[in-house]
Amino acid sequence: MVNKRTKKIEIRVSKAEYEQLLQRKTKARLAEWVRETCLGSELSKKAKPVPKIDLALLVALSKIGGNLNQIARHLNMDRTLSAQEKVKALLELSSIEQSLGEIVGNADKVF
């Protein structure tokens, strides 16, 4: 049976203290971090750490994905290309998509 949290603790901190807490926390949520730090909570020990994300990589991959979707949309709408040309282009796009998936899958090993 899970122990339901029914008690609430409120504390006042300065803006600087609050910023320090946010910088020190190792969990996604401040409350979870405080619980783990102060109580050594078993729940927190089981939780997976939040992976660090390279924001530049995420933005670049997002832009590439958007561009690929636009290209695929135009290929599907273009009436001047033969079916063979469209299939070849879509296969290339699929190959690029697969490569990007591998890059994303390996990104956690790099960071």
Side-chain angles (χ1 to χ4, degrees), residues 1-18:
M1 182 175 170
V2 177
N3 291 333
K4 188 173 180 180
R5 294 186 176 109
T6 59
K7 300 295 180 189
K8 183 176 180 180
I9 300 172
E10 290 187 50
I11 63 168
R12 292 189 186 273
V13 294
S14 69
K15 184 175 182 177
E17 290 170 330
Y18 182 71

Side-chain angles (χ1 to χ4, degrees), residues 21 24-27 30-41 44:
L21 289 171
R24 290 182 185 180
K25 72 181 177 99
T26 57
K27 298 291 180 183
L30 185 57
E32 185 180 2
W33 176 75
V34 168
R35 227 180 269 114
E36 178 185 297
T37 303
C38 296
L39 302 174
S41 171
S44 301

Side-chain angles (χ1 to χ4, degrees), residues 65-85:
N67 289 339
L68 288 174
N69 285 337
Q70 287 180 7
I71 292 168
R73 190 177 321 115
H74 287 292
L75 283 172
N76 286 326
M77 292 172 48
D78 191 343
R79 304 278 186 233
T80 61
L81 293 175
S82 70
Q84 224 175 4
E85 291 171 315

Side-chain angles (χ1 to χ4, degrees), residues 46-109:
K46 292 179 185 177
K48 294 180 182 177
V50 176
K52 295 190 180 203
I53 297 173
D54 181 352
L55 189 57
L57 175 63
L58 184 63
V59 168
L61 288 172
S62 178
K63 288 179 181 180
I64 292 169
N67 289 339
L68 288 174
N69 285 337
Q70 287 180 7
I71 292 168
R73 190 177 321 115
H74 287 292
L75 283 172
N76 286 326
M77 292 172 48
D78 191 343
R79 304 278 186 233
T80 61
L81 293 175
S82 70
Q84 224 175 4
E85 291 171 315
K86 286 183 181 182
V87 167
K88 183 178 177 185
L90 290 172
L91 285 173
E92 288 295 325
L93 286 173
S94 179
S95 174
I96 293 169
E97 181 184 34
Q98 185 176 11
S99 296
L100 286 173
E102 290 170 5
I103 290 170
V104 171
N106 291 329
D108 62 337
K109 296 174 187 169

